[in-house]
Amino acid sequence: MHPNLNQHVQIETPGARPLDDILRDIYARRGLDRPGGRSRRGWSSRATLQKCPYLYQQTYVNGVQGAASAALETGSIFHAYLANHYLNMMSREHRDECYPMTPEILRDELLDGGAHAGPIMDAWQLYEAYAFRYENDYLRPLAVEVAGVVGEHTCRWDLIAAVDDAQDGVQPGTYIVETKTTSRFDSLNTWTNDGEIVGQLWIYEYGGYAEAWGPLRGVIMNICKKKNPDFQRMIIPPQAWQIDGHGRDLQQWDLLEQLYRTTGMWPRSRASCVTKYGPCALFAHCADGTPLDLPPTVDEDVA
């Protein structure tokens, strides 16, 4: 067995409810739409198809579900705290009634609702450090956890924000702000060619969103280090040739998916069985026929 096969740490709190169910209930009780959630046909599905058609079939066609991951839940809860943080900033700016949910309320209701306590408190420690670090944040929120769409392709932007005054390395204008939690800062330059980020730029450009929020200056990668919390932001400017090429690439992958669906043939890509993050969640299944009850593929380093 591969030495890293158990890197997908499952959560074993007895009686804990699924995080998505708890979040849905918390917001529904207040008559609110839950901020965030998965986009309908976002980059995660395209990335899975590119890695391994068989993994895509099991995940997105057959609906194979897996156990919860502590890293994924921590990242999801941290994003939920940040969504409430910036929604409250928006309500104060517009002098509306206060948004009826705060990070503190959400933390307490997650605990009361039966979610796993470890990820809740790990995310809270990171959020408290973030709120202190950016107490005087130069980001002015324009939209929080908003969906973007071009044709059948979707994304969900964590934050659309305006920078009103020039900062060190940041020009005034409108930015997509994409938050990632990570265990280290040694691979930040990889985001400049990341399909999720280029795809968000593509959807903003070709979905007509400049009409609502103005021409886009770029993406601010809002990187949050989980252990011994630390924070960095980097700018990814839009490049027309890269954005247009991404759109053409997606068309080709859509055609290839149709071929797989039409023929019913979804080949395994064994070149993707093991990556720098360890083995695919279906590694044992494809290696020795283990039933499909492993956790979903989760990037334990960046979520």
Side-chain angles (χ1 to χ4, degrees), residues 276-299:
K276 64 180 180 180
Y277 301 112
C280 168
L282 302 189
F283 184 92
H285 165 72
C286 292
D288 58 26
T290 299
L292 289 171
D293 59 356
L294 295 176
T297 300
V298 173
D299 181 340

Side-chain angles (χ1 to χ4, degrees), residues 5 17 27 37 40 99 128 152-154 181 185 187 192 200 235-236 240 243 249 251 260 262 265-267 289 292:
L5 188 57
R17 297 174 58 206
Y27 285 94
R40 177 172 51 86
Y99 183 71
E128 283 192 310
E152 293 186 351
H153 294 279
T154 64
T181 57
F185 284 145
S187 59
T192 60
Q200 289 187 11
I235 309 298
I236 300 176
I243 293 170
D249 291 343
Q251 289 179 334
Y260 294 142
T262 300
M265 299 175 65
W266 301 85
L292 289 171

Side-chain angles (χ1 to χ4, degrees), residues 20 27 30 56 61 66 68 76 82-83 111 126 139 162 175 178 187 205 207 209 232 234 236 248 256 266 273 292 295:
D20 282 346
Y27 285 94
R30 287 172 166 75
Y56 180 90
V61 179
S76 296
L82 281 191
L111 289 169
L126 185 59
L139 298 176
Y175 292 86
E178 177 67 17
S187 59
E205 174 70 20
Y209 294 97
Q232 289 191 23
M234 63 175 292
I236 300 176
R248 291 190 296 270
L256 191 56
W266 301 85
C273 291
L292 289 171

Side-chain angles (χ1 to χ4, degrees), residues 15-216:
R17 297 174 58 206
L19 178 62
D20 282 346
D21 291 350
I22 298 171
L23 286 168
R24 184 183 61 247
D25 291 348
I26 289 172
Y27 285 94
R29 284 197 296 269
R30 287 172 166 75
L32 300 171
D33 292 329
R34 175 197 164 186
R38 296 182 179 182
S39 61
R40 177 172 51 86
R41 189 178 170 87
W43 175 248
S44 179
S45 68
R46 297 299 85 190
T48 302
L49 181 66
Q50 292 177 24
K51 284 187 292 188
C52 179
Y54 182 76
L55 177 62
Y56 180 90
Q57 179 204 27
Q58 296 304 328
T59 304
Y60 293 97
V61 179
N62 295 341
V64 171
Q65 299 294 322
S69 154
L72 184 60
E73 284 211 352
T74 298
S76 296
I77 295 169
F78 178 67
H79 275 76
Y81 291 154
L82 281 191
N84 287 298
H85 175 88
Y86 285 112
L87 284 166
N88 275 278
M89 284 181 62
M90 287 181 66
S91 67
R92 289 195 299 269
E93 178 184 353
H94 296 291
R95 294 181 171 82
D96 296 335
E97 294 183 7
C98 291
Y99 183 71
M101 178 70 75
T102 66
E104 291 82 2
I105 292 174
L106 180 59
R107 175 202 61 199
D108 293 345
E109 295 215 1
L110 283 169
L111 289 169
D112 292 341
H116 303 289
I120 294 171
M121 299 315 297
D122 287 345
W124 182 253
Q125 178 186 30
L126 185 59
Y127 170 71
E128 283 192 310
Y130 182 92
F132 179 78
R133 169 64 178 82
Y134 295 112
E135 182 178 8
N136 298 307
D137 202 344
Y138 57 80
L139 298 176
R140 178 168 60 85
L142 302 175
V144 179
E145 291 288 356
V146 62
V149 59
V150 170
E152 293 186 351
H153 294 279
T154 64
C155 73
R156 184 170 295 278
W157 293 303
D158 294 339
L159 177 66
I160 306 294
V163 175
D164 296 320
D165 301 311
Q167 307 293 318
D168 184 17
V170 186
Q171 296 299 312
T174 301
Y175 292 86
I176 295 168
V177 182
E178 177 67 17
T179 296
K180 296 294 182 184
T181 57
T182 183
S183 61
R184 57 186 185 271
F185 284 145
D186 61 359
S187 59
L188 298 187
N189 63 340
T190 61
W191 293 112
T192 60
N193 196 40
D194 183 85
E196 179 184 13
I197 304 308
V198 180
Q200 289 187 11
L201 290 165
W202 175 70
I203 288 176
Y204 193 97
E205 174 70 20
Y206 285 97
Y209 294 97
E211 295 181 12
W213 299 307
L216 194 66

